[in-house]
Amino acid sequence: MRIDKFLWSIRFYKTRTIATEEIKKNRVSIGTSVVKSSKEVKEGDVIKIRKNQIDYKIKVIQIPKSRMGAKLVPLHIKDVTDKEQYEILKMRKASQDYYRIKGEGRPTKRDRRDMDDYVENENDVASDFTDWDDFFGETGDDSENKD
């Protein structure tokens, strides 16, 4: 099986086109050599893939016939990526969380829509009471207010 089709079938890339583009950018190699999209994958090959600034390593256990469900992927490959790479990924994700704490700074589009919905609901409640004199129980007699 071609390597671009293999990476697509084990769900490493969403489309075969993306897999082909990543191979053209020299981000995929078998062993120590960079490969082309037409390279055939065999059982026992160790594939190095650079994705999201992480170097993944997978060992081919079995060649699939076609694209498979995510639960079946471990039957065909074994992840042999260094643990340090996953730690780098965790640190990167943690460092991105500091960017904006919820509720701080300029409102996002979602925040703005929530605020607009809240203001509209407030106006709907206020428009239900059109006759304020009836609401406050005033009858229009000013006899109580006379000195």
Side-chain angles (χ1 to χ4, degrees):
M1 177 181 281
R2 292 169 53 108
I3 191 164
D4 58 345
K5 189 173 182 180
F6 177 77
L7 293 174
W8 167 76
S9 66
I10 63 167
R11 298 183 166 270
F12 211 85
Y13 292 108
K14 190 173 183 178
T15 64
R16 193 167 164 187
T17 305
I18 295 171
T20 304
E21 289 171 359
E22 293 298 305
I23 292 168
K24 284 180 183 176
K25 293 176 184 175
N26 296 333
R27 294 183 180 158
V28 178
S29 61
I30 294 179
T32 57
S33 62
V34 177
V35 296
K36 292 185 179 180
S37 298
S38 61
K39 174 73 174 169
E40 292 290 322
V41 178
K42 295 175 253 165
E43 293 177 7
D45 285 345
V46 177
I47 303 172
K48 281 181 61 178
I49 304 161
R50 180 102 172 137
K51 184 178 178 184
N52 297 332
Q53 300 176 347
I54 303 294
D55 292 326
Y56 294 96
K57 287 183 186 176
I58 56 173
K59 184 174 183 177
V60 180
I61 299 172
Q62 186 179 358
I63 304 294
K65 292 182 180 175
S66 63
R67 190 167 169 94
M68 68 192 85
K71 291 184 179 180
L72 300 176
V73 170
L75 300 174
H76 298 277
I77 64 167
K78 181 179 179 184
D79 187 13
V80 290
T81 306
D82 298 331
K83 295 186 189 295
E84 298 148 2
Q85 296 295 322
Y86 287 116
E87 290 176 11
I88 292 170
L89 185 63
K90 285 181 185 177
M91 288 176 51
R92 217 171 258 130
K93 285 186 179 183
S95 67
Q96 289 175 351
D97 290 342
Y98 82 92
Y99 174 68
R100 181 178 177 267
I101 299 171
K102 186 174 176 91
E104 283 188 7
R106 185 176 176 186
T108 62
K109 185 181 263 188
R110 182 178 179 184
D111 294 340
R112 174 66 62 194
R113 288 178 179 158
D114 289 343
M115 287 188 292
D116 289 344
D117 289 343
Y118 178 75
V119 170
E120 286 177 12
N121 290 340
E122 287 283 320
N123 291 338
D124 290 343
V125 172
S127 66
D128 290 344
F129 304 109
T130 55
D131 192 4
W132 288 103
D133 293 336
D134 291 340
F135 178 72
F136 289 112
E138 295 179 9
T139 59
D141 294 338
D142 291 334
S143 59
E144 296 176 4
N145 293 338
K146 291 184 180 178
D147 291 335

